[in-house]
Amino acid sequence: MESDSGTQVTVVVADDHPIYREGITRGLQLSGRIKVVAEVEDGAAALEAIREHRPQVALIDYRIPTMDGIAVIHATVRDGLPTRTILLSATTDGAVVYRAVQEGAAGYLAKDAKRSEIVDAVLKVARGKRIVSEDLSDGLVDEIRLRADRDEAVLSERERQVLRGFAEGKSIPQLASELYLGASTVKTHTQRLYEKLGVSDRAAAVAEAMRRGLLE
């Protein structure tokens, strides 16, 4: 991971469009904080490069030959590889964003994102954060709510309401007001939600619920 000593974040870039791939690689390396250890043009090569180099972050195009980006992410998580992944995609479909996060993506960026945004996302993901482009977050929230409406998971109805609220960025006082509950009651539901999901904060609760398919 990025450190105070100036160690560069290692990255694999996977995209089948040479000009776009080269542009991303150049932008990352010009930042002076990122080292691209491999750039590849298909999904199988991406997975091979991740296994070989074990970079901190992999930037992967969604629509890439041989294995799509989500398949690469799935295999990376399945094989217990330490690399954290960011999916780059031209689609803003909430279902695709949801599936990427559920499979283990640490980030999801639109392909027209500025290079500075991509650099920033790579650095944040390397530090353990999760990133979804602001213009994609509404679609993700809508997808979560749609799936939650069909959910018959182990979470109680109140716990699901709290989870939806967290996905929308609402605070405990806001949820208490909307649900006509005391703040202490909402905190109790929140703690039970955390215990069931094995997490300790709101963002992790939403991500873990999606990863486990509890909102399916």
Side-chain angles (χ1 to χ4, degrees):
M1 298 211 172
E2 182 188 19
S3 70
D4 293 336
S5 62
T7 301
Q8 292 180 312
V9 172
T10 52
V11 176
V12 163
V13 177
D15 194 288
D16 61 327
H17 296 286
I19 295 176
Y20 182 83
R21 185 177 69 245
E22 291 166 9
I24 291 296
T25 297
R26 188 180 308 111
L28 293 175
Q29 298 197 139
L30 284 175
S31 73
R33 305 170 73 185
I34 297 167
K35 179 181 180 181
V36 176
V37 295
E39 50 175 299
V40 298
E41 62 183 17
D42 64 66
L47 185 56
E48 182 179 348
I50 291 170
R51 287 171 173 160
E52 177 182 353
H53 298 283
R54 292 181 175 257
Q56 291 157 271
V57 179
L59 274 171
I60 308 168
D61 180 27
Y62 172 44
R63 297 193 182 281
I64 197 169
T66 69
M67 296 173 66
D68 71 27
I70 292 180
V72 176
I73 291 168
H74 174 83
T76 300
V77 174
R78 179 199 64 203
D79 295 348
L81 298 170
T83 301
R84 306 192 81 222
T85 52
I86 298 174
L87 196 69
L88 290 166
S89 178
T91 180
T92 58
D93 184 350
V96 176
V97 183
Y98 180 97
R99 184 170 164 236
V101 174
Q102 185 182 44
E103 289 292 351
Y108 192 110
L109 295 174
K111 290 196 73 171
D112 61 1
K114 296 178 181 177
R115 289 182 189 176
S116 59
E117 293 179 72
I118 297 175
V119 168
D120 185 58
V122 167
L123 296 174
K124 285 181 177 177
V125 164
R127 293 196 298 268
K129 296 185 178 181
R130 294 181 180 273
I131 299 294
V132 175
S133 297
E134 186 176 349
D135 56 344
L136 301 176
S137 59
D138 286 346
L140 176 58
V141 169
D142 289 344
E143 187 67 18
I144 291 172
R145 297 187 71 171
L146 177 64
R147 292 173 184 245
D149 286 342
R150 302 196 302 260
D151 182 42
E152 294 181 3
V154 295
L155 301 180
S156 70
E157 178 58 25
R158 285 299 191 198
E159 289 160 356
R160 288 198 295 271
Q161 289 173 332
V162 169
L163 180 61
R164 290 178 208 146
F166 287 166
E168 295 170 355
K170 294 176 181 175
S171 66
I172 286 178
Q174 286 175 314
L175 286 171
S177 176
E178 290 185 9
L179 298 175
Y180 301 101
L181 297 172
S184 61
T185 301
V186 175
K187 288 180 181 178
T188 297
H189 289 306
T190 298
Q191 188 57 43
R192 288 174 182 166
L193 174 66
Y194 288 174
E195 289 172 358
K196 289 181 179 180
L197 298 181
V199 299
S200 59
D201 62 60
R202 303 175 198 179
V206 174
E208 182 64 10
M210 289 191 294
R211 188 187 70 79
R212 293 189 190 185
L214 294 178
L215 299 177
E216 286 289 335

